[in-house]
Amino acid sequence: MTTSNTATGDVDPAVREELRRLRDSIDNIDAAVVHMLAERFKATQQVGRLKAVHQLPPADPAREARQIARLRALAENAKLDPAFAEKFLNFIIAEVIRHHESIAEDTVNSREAGGH
């Protein structure tokens, strides 16, 4: 394994170019992930509003369990650590539930104030 002193710029130009190419790819993937999460949260906000209007609970543990099992299987097939995928989904689910609780509270407050 070759090491180099990046502080002094002693990196082979071919290595530097390959590193730049890989990092550009990572940056593109990060951007796509952010945009996909934004779209996902737009959809879950609509779910939250629908649940609030119909006075359904913000959380759906049975669906969450199905989603976790589904995501773990997808992760395994994609050669991604299923435990990591589960932690990631649990983080997202917690945020979605927080949003749904907030939407439900706003809906209740609106009804109490004479809104629809």
Side-chain angles (χ1 to χ4, degrees), residues 4-6 8-16:
S4 60
N5 185 344
T6 57
T8 60
D10 293 347
V11 178
D12 181 315
V15 171
R16 190 176 318 196

Side-chain angles (χ1 to χ4, degrees), residues 21-110:
R21 185 189 66 75
L22 291 168
R23 286 178 173 163
D24 285 350
S25 182
I26 291 166
D27 292 349
N28 287 340
I29 293 166
D30 287 347
V33 167
V34 167
H35 288 283
M36 293 300 294
L37 284 171
E39 286 302 311
R40 188 184 196 289
F41 278 104
K42 284 179 189 174
T44 61
Q45 292 287 345
Q46 293 174 1
V47 168
R49 286 190 290 277
L50 186 61
K51 284 180 170 185
V53 166
H54 295 281
Q55 299 177 347
L56 298 169
D60 185 344
R63 172 162 166 78
E64 293 158 21
R66 287 191 308 272
Q67 286 297 93
I68 288 168
R70 180 177 162 270
L71 196 70
R72 284 185 69 93
L74 288 170
E76 286 180 27
N77 289 338
K79 307 294 187 249
L80 178 68
D81 178 5
F84 169 78
E86 183 174 346
K87 287 177 194 174
F88 182 71
L89 185 59
N90 280 328
F91 178 77
I92 291 171
I93 288 169
E95 187 67 8
V96 167
I97 291 170
R98 189 180 69 75
H99 289 172
H100 287 187
E101 289 169 345
S102 177
I103 291 167
E105 184 178 318
D106 290 348
T107 301
V108 168
N109 290 341
S110 175

